[in-house]
Amino acid sequence: MSTGSGHRRLLAIGLDSAPPEFLFGRCLPEMPNMRRLVEGGVRGVLRTTDPPISIPAWAVMFTGVDPGTLGFYGFRHRLHHSYNQNYAPSSTLLPVPSLWKILSDRGRRVCVVGMPPGYPPPPVNGYYISDFLTPGGAPETTYPPALAKELEARYGPYRFDVTFRATERHQLYRDIVAMTQQHFAIAEELYTRERWDVFAIHEVGTDRLHHAFTKYFDPTHQDYQHGNPFEHVVEDYYRIVDQSIGRLLSLIDDDTIVFVGSDHGSMPMSGCFCINQWLVEKGYLSIRHPVPAGTPLEKAPVDWSRTSVWGAGGYYARLFFNIRGREPEGSLEPAQVPEVRARLLRDLAAIPGRDGQPLSVEVLDPHQVYQQVRGDPPDLMAYFGHLRWRSAGSLGHPTLYLRENDTGPDDAVHSFEGIFLVYDPKVKDGREIAAQPIVDVTPTLLELLGEPIPGHIQGRVMPGIRPVARTSS
Ligand SMILES: [Zn+2]
């Protein structure tokens, strides 16, 4: 992959949540276009962020800095030190430029379809369609704004997402397919409008398929039933994704490098561990009277004067100390925090699983895992059962171990293993290389495009991404 020869372009395809076991494994026989990329490119496992959640993972993939440096710790952050005010990360909160912005600023022509964090749609030297986190009724969903109307006239209302935790499954599958086909149809049309230097598309349908159908197609899920009507839905869907990718690939020229990536993998969910209920049982969190099952913490009568620690649910548990002078009704003196923290870590480590064996709780301190800690980080981050157990923040359940998600049906959780693939039409390769960190994607793509790598980028160029030089003796 010579970077000095000619003007290289990039087509980046982001498949949210697509796990290596499916994209490079079970579904590959159904995917002739992906097979062509695999057989000609370099690929491997992409080790995702802590935590393995779409935001921050996509943001890290396409900025080259870690989640703490971005101040993105998940889908929700508490506003400063409030107890129940939250905000979602957005494109305007990015403290460093994305790959698209870096190249835009260098005069390259850029078109981005739905890549997170993409709301509000960032101004680029080209087009940007906002992402799946676009709020309903958002006034502007494209840059430039006029593009939205033009696309809607031709393709109908843009399908930002599906409601995967509420819709009946037959309808949901049709919705996911319609969304994916619409995104790729729009991408195809935009792709042919000019010779883009950089073109990127993100597809969230892959993530929705795994969340909504894993128990139907994955025999290792605890509720899998052989012979169910959705047993082959994963092959069917990935075949459709592959056809869409194939149509885009038919439009590229030999100067276009293709990147395919996923922000994390997916695996069956075992259940939810009720973190706040456990904190109540252990005396860290105090509520004034019992509450009905499923009561969110925000609606519970918390006695903050007798609360030292509380948590928030999701793929992982965010844990917060209730510190005097920091929280509105802080109860812990700052000098008490180290002792409470040490006791909490011991208690977390001793949590048994539903089967009586240790649950396996991994606790991370943002200040120890990130190069910088910006924004509103949790004090501690806890993963339960290697993330096969979600964290439920609600209270009043008859058990600490829920079989189902407390915020709507969900079959899957995220794994640390996403994928990457780089395909250069000018190079015959076909290697699988060792797992690479997600923070390395942006510097690697800049290098392949022959572009300088800005000094603030923390990732490095993936070693082994170029073909081994064949030296003649
Ligand atoms: Zn994701």
Side-chain angles (χ1 to χ4, degrees), residues 44-48 61 262 416-420 436-438 441:
V45 164
L46 194 63
R47 204 292 185 180
T48 191
M61 195 189 303
S262 63
F416 287 102
E417 302 196 331
I419 65 104
F420 72 90
Q436 304 288 322
I438 194 168
V441 169

Side-chain angles (χ1 to χ4, degrees), residues 15-18 52-55 57-58 75 132 202 204 207-208 211 262-265 315 414:
L15 301 176
D16 206 292
S17 215
I53 297 180
S54 306
I55 308 275
W58 289 111
F75 282 122
F132 72 102
H202 169 267
V204 75
D207 180 80
R208 293 345 190 186
H211 278 293
S262 63
D263 54 336
H264 49 76
Y315 292 107
H414 294 170

Side-chain angles (χ1 to χ4, degrees), residues 272-352:
C272 286
F273 181 72
C274 299
I275 182 63
N276 281 322
Q277 197 160 312
W278 177 82
L279 289 167
V280 169
E281 287 182 11
K282 288 285 171 187
Y284 293 98
L285 172 59
S286 176
I287 52 171
R288 293 178 200 277
H289 55 78
V291 292
T295 303
L297 185 71
E298 300 76 45
K299 299 207 170 126
V302 177
D303 182 352
W304 291 106
S305 71
R306 296 172 59 201
T307 291
S308 56
V309 184
W310 84 101
Y315 292 107
Y316 73 103
R318 291 176 287 149
L319 293 163
F320 304 99
F321 295 105
N322 190 28
I323 303 173
R324 190 162 299 166
R326 192 184 77 166
E327 271 68 27
E329 297 172 65
S331 71
L332 284 176
E333 291 299 336
Q336 293 177 289
V337 173
E339 184 268 320
V340 173
R341 179 192 154 107
R343 181 157 49 88
L344 177 67
L345 292 177
R346 281 196 304 275
D347 287 343
L348 283 166
I351 294 175

Side-chain angles (χ1 to χ4, degrees), residues 214-225 267-270 403 410-412:
T214 288
K215 82 165 165 233
Y216 299 99
F217 66 69
D218 188 338
T220 67
H221 191 285
Q222 60 195 353
D223 295 331
Y224 169 80
Q225 287 187 338
M267 57 188 180
M269 183 182 87
S270 295
R403 223 179 144 77
D410 198 343
D411 298 356

Side-chain angles (χ1 to χ4, degrees), residues 237-251:
Y237 177 71
Y238 275 86
R239 197 181 303 121
I240 290 166
V241 170
D242 188 70
Q243 287 159 0
S244 302
I245 291 174
R247 283 192 293 274
L248 268 182
L249 292 179
S250 71
L251 303 174

Side-chain angles (χ1 to χ4, degrees), residues 130-159:
S130 67
D131 68 16
F132 72 102
L133 295 172
T134 301
E140 285 189 4
T141 58
T142 60
Y143 180 87
L147 178 66
K149 274 208 174 57
E150 193 192 326
L151 293 177
E152 182 163 344
R154 180 126 187 222
Y155 299 97
Y158 191 86
R159 295 169 182 259

